[in-house]
Amino acid sequence: TMPSIFSYQSAEVDWCEGNFERSTVIAEYYNTVNGTTLFSFLLLTPLNFLVLEGAALLTQVSFAFLAGVFSMYFHMTLSYVGQLLDELSILWTLAVAYSFWYPRVYFPRCIKSRKHFFWLSGVTTVISTLMSFIKPAFNAYALNCIAFHLLYLTWRELKKCNDKRVHRMAAVMVMWWVLAISSWISDRWLCGLWQAINFPYFHSFWHVLIAMSLLYCCPLVIYFDVNYEMPSFKPKLGYWPSDSWPVVVPYIALEEPHKQC
C-alpha cells in the first residue's frame, strides 16, 4: 500500500542522524532543534533590511520564516509533505531574494525593468516547483548549486570594490559557506563512516553554519543594492555591538555623500 504522504518517514530522504533516538515524537532530534537556528537569525536580519523597502522586508522575512518552520517539520516527521515543503520554501525564498535584489546590470537583455524581471522569476519558480515533484530527492542538490551563482555574482561585485571591509566580510561569508556545504556533503555521502564512530550530526551542523553564512551574506547584498539603487548614499559596513567583540552582527549604515567604491 502506498504510504500516506503525511506519514512519518514517508520522505525520499533520510539524513544520517538516527531516528527517534531521543524522542518518540521527533524523528531527527538534533536536526529539528538546530533548524530553529534560522529563527534566531531572523530576529537579526531585519536590522539589515530596514534600509530597504518595507514590502521587500516583509515578504523576504515571511518566506524565510516559513522555510524555518517547514525545515523543523520535515526533520521532526521525515514525511514526504515535509520534504517538499522544506525544499520548496527554500526555493521560493531564493526566488523572492532574486526578484527584489538581483542587480539590474545583470538582467538579461530582453528584460527592460524590475517588473519584467519579477514575471521572469515568478514563471521560472513556478516551473521549478512543478518539476520538483518529479524527483524531490534531487531538489536539495539543485538548491545548493544556486550558491555557486551567488558566489559568482559576489566575485563580480568585489572586482569593482576597493573597500577592504567588504572583501573581508565576503571572505568570512565564503568561509562559513564552505564549512556548511562540507558538512552537508559529509552527512550525505559519508554517513556510514559517521555512524561507525557514533557521530552522525553533520547535517545539524549545516543548519547552524549556513545560518552564519547568511548572516554575512545579507549585509553584502544590501551593500551592493544600495550602490545601485540609492546612489545618493554611501553604504558603510559595521558590526554590532562592536568590531572588537568575538561574536558580532554585521549591518549596513548609510552615509552621505556617496563616494564611488
Side-chain angles (χ1 to χ4, degrees):
T1 305
M2 193 74 171
S4 169
I5 58 176
F6 291 95
S7 298
Y8 271 66
Q9 296 180 283
S10 59
E12 291 186 352
V13 175
D14 189 352
W15 297 97
C16 196
E17 182 182 353
N19 299 330
F20 303 105
E21 291 184 345
R22 288 170 174 78
S23 172
T24 57
V25 178
I26 301 175
E28 296 176 340
Y29 182 83
Y30 287 108
N31 284 344
T32 302
V33 170
N34 283 347
T36 62
T37 304
L38 186 58
F39 292 114
S40 300
F41 286 97
L42 281 173
L43 298 176
L44 303 175
T45 51
L47 297 175
N48 290 312
F49 287 106
L50 287 177
V51 299
L52 302 175
E53 295 180 7
L57 167 66
L58 180 60
T59 305
Q60 185 66 66
V61 171
S62 297
F63 272 93
F65 180 83
L66 288 176
V69 172
F70 292 147
S71 175
M72 292 171 58
Y73 173 69
F74 167 52
H75 289 297
M76 184 178 73
T77 64
L78 291 179
S79 65
Y80 181 81
V81 167
Q83 179 185 348
L84 286 175
L85 289 174
D86 179 32
E87 294 167 349
L88 293 180
S89 63
I90 295 173
L91 171 65
W92 280 83
T93 300
L94 288 170
V96 170
Y98 267 76
S99 297
F100 280 117
W101 295 299
Y102 191 74
R104 296 173 189 266
V105 68
Y106 300 124
F107 281 3
R109 292 183 178 180
C110 59
I111 301 299
K112 304 302 182 182
S113 68
R114 177 70 64 179
K115 182 178 179 180
H116 292 161
F117 188 73
F118 281 164
W119 279 102
L120 175 63
S121 300
V123 171
T124 302
T125 305
V126 169
I127 294 174
S128 300
T129 298
L130 295 176
M131 293 179 63
S132 296
F133 288 88
I134 298 175
K135 187 63 178 175
F138 180 72
N139 296 347
Y141 291 94
L143 290 171
N144 274 304
C145 286
I146 295 176
F148 291 104
H149 184 245
L150 295 174
L151 292 173
Y152 170 72
L153 291 177
T154 301
W155 173 74
R156 290 279 301 270
E157 289 299 314
L158 291 177
K159 288 176 64 178
K160 308 174 188 177
C161 181
N162 297 320
D163 190 331
K164 292 182 180 180
R165 291 171 67 89
V166 176
H167 284 258
R168 185 165 63 249
M169 182 173 287
V172 174
M173 177 195 73
V174 173
M175 177 197 72
W176 286 118
W177 176 80
V178 169
L179 291 173
I181 196 64
S182 298
S183 297
W184 191 91
I185 292 173
S186 294
D187 189 274
R188 189 78 272 170
W189 295 355
L190 301 175
C191 181
L193 171 62
W194 307 131
Q195 288 182 338
I197 64 175
N198 197 30
F199 197 78
Y201 306 118
F202 278 90
H203 189 76
S204 66
F205 292 165
W206 178 85
H207 283 284
V208 177
L209 294 168
I210 199 65
M212 290 295 296
S213 182
L214 289 172
L215 186 64
Y216 286 85
C217 179
C218 289
L220 279 177
V221 170
I222 296 167
Y223 183 94
F224 299 137
D225 184 75
V226 169
N227 278 330
Y228 283 115
E229 304 294 337
M230 304 172 68
S232 61
F233 290 92
K234 179 184 185 300
K236 180 181 178 181
L237 290 176
Y239 296 93
W240 181 86
S242 170
D243 290 20
S244 61
W245 282 47
V247 179
V248 296
V249 178
Y251 67 91
I252 297 294
L254 300 182
E255 296 181 350
E256 290 186 280
H258 174 78
K259 182 179 179 181
Q260 186 64 37
C261 176

